[in-house]
Amino acid sequence: MQAAQWFAEGRPNARIAAELRVGLRQVEKWRRAWREGGAEALRSKGPHGRPRLDQAAFARLEAELNRGPAAHGWAHDQRWTLERVAEVIRRLFGVDYTRPGVSLLLRRNGWSVQVPGRRAIERDDRAIEVWKEQVWPQVETPRRTWAPGSASKTRPVKGSGRPEDAPGAAGDTARR
């Protein structure tokens, strides 16, 4: 509305853009709209888009989610992920949502992230122990077993346990 007042006063677009801290092209669009429809043409029309799912549509989505993932083709895993919920919305309503958009939609309507409260039935504690004892040591490279070392090339730690002729040992004269 301030821009409309300044248009009426005849102020230049560049000055208005600087005062309102907007781009010059935006002020040009506003001036064009002001010429065609006056100050009313500059009045806000609200947010650009309507809520993509209204309450009735969300109620339908909620009913579908309560049927479970198996009812929608995900029988092997009984968890709802954001990608799966977005796919159900796409199938039901023809509307595309991003993962953050699905998360926001669900949180706005009282849904929250759920984490399983107990361990899986299929868990085999003995197999896990065997893996930790037998497989993991083969995967993990052993750490160096040298005694305390030094990052300094010029002042190695005394008593590092390195042989006298080893690279970096106190008696090493190769670098001198």
Side-chain angles (χ1 to χ4, degrees):
M1 295 291 99
Q2 182 65 55
Q5 181 182 353
W6 288 340
F7 292 150
E9 293 173 5
R11 286 195 190 183
N13 289 350
R15 187 169 167 202
I16 295 171
E19 289 285 327
L20 297 177
R21 291 187 284 188
V22 297
L24 183 60
R25 299 287 180 249
Q26 185 61 48
V27 176
E28 290 170 356
K29 288 179 186 178
W30 289 345
R31 188 178 292 272
R32 194 175 318 114
W34 175 75
R35 278 192 206 119
E36 293 172 4
E40 280 302 310
L42 298 178
R43 196 167 298 283
S44 174
K45 294 162 185 69
H48 284 295
R50 61 173 176 76
R52 294 176 7 152
L53 290 186
D54 59 11
Q55 287 304 315
F58 187 81
R60 182 174 170 212
L61 173 64
E62 197 168 27
E64 291 298 321
L65 295 178
N66 285 331
R67 289 179 53 208
H72 295 279
W74 294 289
H76 64 282
D77 183 7
Q78 291 297 300
R79 292 178 293 170
W80 281 116
T81 63
L82 295 175
E83 291 86 2
R84 289 179 179 184
V85 175
E87 179 62 29
V88 170
I89 292 171
R90 189 176 305 111
R91 289 178 193 167
L92 291 175
F93 308 106
V95 177
D96 287 325
Y97 267 87
T98 62
R99 281 187 310 195
V102 171
S103 177
L104 185 62
L105 174 73
L106 294 174
R107 280 186 285 123
R108 281 184 184 160
N109 287 280
W111 286 63
S112 64
V113 175
Q114 300 295 308
V115 179
R118 57 189 193 284
R119 294 180 182 221
I121 295 171
E122 299 87 6
R123 182 181 171 104
D124 184 354
D125 289 321
R126 181 64 194 135
I128 292 171
E129 287 303 314
V130 168
W131 189 90
K132 284 181 180 178
E133 293 170 4
Q134 296 176 6
V135 178
W136 179 245
Q138 295 171 4
V139 173
E140 178 70 8
T141 57
R143 295 182 67 175
R144 288 188 158 182
T145 58
W146 295 73
S150 173
S152 172
K153 292 180 182 177
T154 58
R155 302 184 74 197
V157 171
K158 292 183 180 175
S160 67
R162 295 181 183 181
E164 285 294 316
D165 60 343
D172 183 21
T173 58
R175 292 194 178 129
R176 291 186 190 159

